[in-house]
Amino acid sequence: MKQSTMDHAARANDFNRDEERVNWHDETLWWIRQKRDLSVNRLPEWEELREAASQIKHNALSNLHGYLQAFEANAIANGVKVHWAANADEHNRIVHNILKSHGINRMVKSKSMLTEECHLNDYLAENGIEVIDSDLGERIVQLANEPPSHIVLPCIHKKKGEIGDLFHRHLGSAEGETDPQVLTETARQHLREVFLTRKAALTGVNFAVAETGEFVVCTNEGNADMGAHLADVHIAAMGIEKIIPLRKHLSIFLRLLTRSATGQPITTYSSHFKTPAAGKEMHVILVDNGRSTQLGREDFRNSLKCIRCGACMNTCPVYRRSGGHSYHSAIAGPIGSILAPNLDMKQHADLPFASTLCGSCSNVCPVKIDIHDQLYKWRQVIVKEGYAPEAKKLMMKGMALTLSSPAFYRFAGKAGRTVMRLAPFAAGNKLNPWYNQRDMPEAPAQSFAEWYKKNRL
Amino acid sequence: MRIGLFIPCYVDQFYPKAAIATLQLLEKLGLDVDFPLRQTCCGQPMANSGFEHLTGGCNELFVDNFAAFDYIVCPSGSCTLHIKQHLHSHKNEAAATAIRGKVYELVEFLTDIIKVKHLEASFPHKVGLHQSCHGQRGLHLSQMTELVAAPYSKPMQLLNMVKGINMVPLKRADECCGFGGTFCVTEEAVSVKMGKDRVEDHVVAGAEYITAADLSCLMHMEGILRRQNSPVKVIHIAQILNAAL
Amino acid sequence: MSSRSNILAAVLANQPDNSPLPDVSIFNDLYTSEDAVERFIATAMGIGSSVHRVAGIDEINKVISERFTHGPVVSNLSGINNALAVDDDNYHAADVELSVFKVRLAVAENGALWLTEEDIQKRVLPFICQHLALVVNAANIVGSMHQAYERIGNARYNYGTFISGPSKTADIEQSLVLGAHGPRSLTVFIID
């Protein structure tokens, strides 16, 4: 996939060149937020469920060392082969080695954000292995040679006309065909042939149960099951934070996950994989890739509670108006902005600033991650680590100096509100981005302090 | 009860009418209000930009100015929240801690501390209420639409006491306006688009005025309205609550 | 050192002090089973399933014979007309028009039904068929997922899945389309 070096603001600026598309993107995601609201308001116990889920995840993270080993032992006893990958590269090599050992060079894959994070498809392609993504949205972005723009709705940025063109070029649908029903049927026929002929299938993991060694995969399309059940080899890739302690905890998470994601009461399929089917192989890859580091960051470890529902993206007023690709990270939106700096702080130094800190993300989060507070804290870390632009550092030092001194502040203020020229939105001249599409308030004759001195002292 | 009036820097400089209305409103309620002249800024613009370590000077100044008061009242939810969450002092942490517990945004001070039941105010206009995020999600001035919880609104509780006012319903009751401090220039495209969409919601609802408990949001929306040559105006909630009969 | 030991060592070094588990039993009794059948029907129909309350196998056969006439029918239930047994060798899974399974658990709050490998024998069957029919006794419909997992308990299964409705996608401009990869329809028969 193409990776350019533009930051979030520059990409968002590009996205906003087509205002009609921004409106459409915003309205589409807001509609999903509204479906979520309708759905969760049917459960009077919703807030208690969120609290329980949060506490279970806290427990899981605080005992992760033990739970990982329990999961591993139980999975092995179930007949599953368990692998450990310290980073993306090792994860990719493990997948490749499993395929090589079976002489397999074509694989079908259902949705796994972890494999996006690890850039597995690129790695396997370089090694001569063809991967076909089977989730409809993922297949669409794969045909477009783009990464997903949303973790639950991978092609939410694409209009049906663009999808029709892709399908016409790659899958032979009629030119100009844009009916979602017809296009979905085209993909169904195309992918059915893929499912029936691939000997290996890779899936993600939504939850892995330490108590039993089983793992749960949720889809609406049934593509994870179609791939896994028809293949000889099933590889499930999971971050180490996907562990939950007990099977009965699935009740909490399965109630929260899809209501938060799309407003459905549950995904169409919630499949519990425990043992390989007779005569078949099942592998689980436990991937760290920075997670154990994040676990050690007290201010940021709670981001590992995430169950990848995407609710924070749907509610985020910035995400809705900048698009998932503006975040230049496998996971976009507010949650992506607190996960990505852990992986590469320099490359993702802009992301915690791509927010107004409005706090809506933290409120919709089904596991109560304090997302907007972590965005604020990442900003402090990024500046301290030296990743702030020089101009910004100078401006901030100037502001701090002026605002620490009442005398300078009053003097500056008298000179025609000049103190406020230090404020970012007012700084100086018409080249300031504030003025592109906004006016400044008219400067009043006197400040409040001046009025107060005349009228109250 | 001695009240220290905390007027954010940009309100002091650009919106003195809102500050005057806040002072007059508190005085009308028979309160003893003082405005410490050596105040400047709460330090939030630096902190939200990642430079909280540069806010020490602002913090010490704030403690010096306000430690002596029983309550500190501020016509800005955002600045109030910043003080509540981040005020610390090397010289006098006990005073800083006390301040964090006794600083109030104007609306919550009126509803929760003074428990205002009646206001002599009149504002015969159609008004849209903008829920500023820090006041709402930070200080809980109103219930948040994301939560499964009983609705309430402290600003509406006060606005409903104003004669002749006609509050218009919005499609998105508590979406952010996109100001966001330095976000408004570093992310100009998204900031402006958010502001335009927020303004549009009020305009479509027929509002003559957009009000809020935070002028930073209103300044942003006013900037967009003025560029559009819109007749719709912004007004701080204190000015409505203080509007004479 | 292996990645396994490195990861475990890093996790042990970095994990915080124990945080206790909450008591999740408080959610178990929030939903009574009294109106579970009615709530199941409303929810299941809301997510695109068709639901029939039937007295027995004859009514099931009547519905099936009216609606599914294009290909082989496979079932784990005896008495389904013209149905092949799941372990019959004379069909290809990919050709199956309708799979009919008797299941032992369904959930009112989300219209989901619980199938295990024991019920279906071949894991792919409920997914690859063009249409799926599931049969459940009314007494086996519980109110919530909490009650469902209480029923499942420590049961041993190799594979189990909750299925709620037909396979679906809304990936193209959020337009809901039934029949993404799996069954184009789900018919639920509730035996009173």
Side-chain angles (χ1 to χ4, degrees), chain A residues 45 59 62-63 65 72 90 134 137 160 185 188 214 220-221 225 247 255 259 268 271-272 275 292, chain C residues 3-4 14-15 18-19 31 109 123 146 149 153 157 159-161 164 167-168 171 173 181-182 184:
Chain A
E45 70 274 29
N59 173 270
S62 68
N63 295 282
H65 182 255
E72 177 191 40
E90 188 173 10
S134 59
K160 59 188 179 185
E185 183 64 26
R188 177 184 171 99
E214 72 198 292
N220 276 325
E221 298 179 8
D225 285 278
R247 181 189 274 170
R255 295 190 81 194
R259 287 183 172 97
T268 307
S271 294
H272 302 47
T275 73
S292 62
Chain C
S3 288
R4 179 185 186 277
N14 288 341
Q15 70 185 19
N18 177 48
S19 177
Y31 297 88
E109 70 159 302
R123 294 183 189 184
H146 309 291
Y149 279 99
Y157 50 75
Y159 165 84
T161 186
S164 68
S167 161
K168 60 167 77 87
D171 274 343
E173 286 200 9
H181 301 298
R184 300 171 189 274

Side-chain angles (χ1 to χ4, degrees), chain A residues 7-40:
Chain A
D7 69 2
H8 180 273
R11 289 163 192 252
N13 191 50
D14 276 357
F15 189 75
N16 273 270
R17 285 182 210 285
D18 184 350
E19 188 166 3
E20 280 309 305
R21 183 182 280 264
V22 177
N23 290 339
W24 166 77
H25 192 259
D26 167 64
E27 289 288 347
T28 306
L29 287 154
W30 182 253
W31 183 62
I32 299 166
R33 156 78 205 273
Q34 288 178 301
K35 287 199 295 180
R36 173 255 175 218
D37 289 354
L38 274 175
S39 180
V40 305

Side-chain angles (χ1 to χ4, degrees), chain A residues 237-313:
Chain A
M238 59 176 273
I240 54 174
E241 83 284 17
K242 294 287 175 192
I243 299 270
I244 60 171
L246 302 175
R247 181 189 274 170
K248 69 178 178 187
H249 293 150
L250 288 166
S251 63
I252 306 278
F253 291 105
L254 291 178
R255 295 190 81 194
L256 288 164
L257 176 65
T258 323
R259 287 183 172 97
S260 297
T262 64
Q264 296 169 259
I266 191 170
T267 46
T268 307
Y269 305 103
S270 306
S271 294
H272 302 47
F273 293 88
K274 194 156 168 240
T275 73
K280 300 195 174 189
E281 261 183 38
M282 191 183 284
H283 298 259
V284 171
I285 310 176
L286 296 162
V287 184
D288 183 342
N289 203 37
R291 287 161 177 78
S292 62
T293 308
Q294 189 88 320
L295 188 64
R297 298 182 195 266
E298 191 182 346
D299 284 342
F300 305 112
R301 67 165 58 107
N302 292 344
S303 61
L304 296 171
K305 293 194 290 181
C306 177
I307 59 172
R308 303 289 191 268
C309 70
C312 62
M313 302 178 186

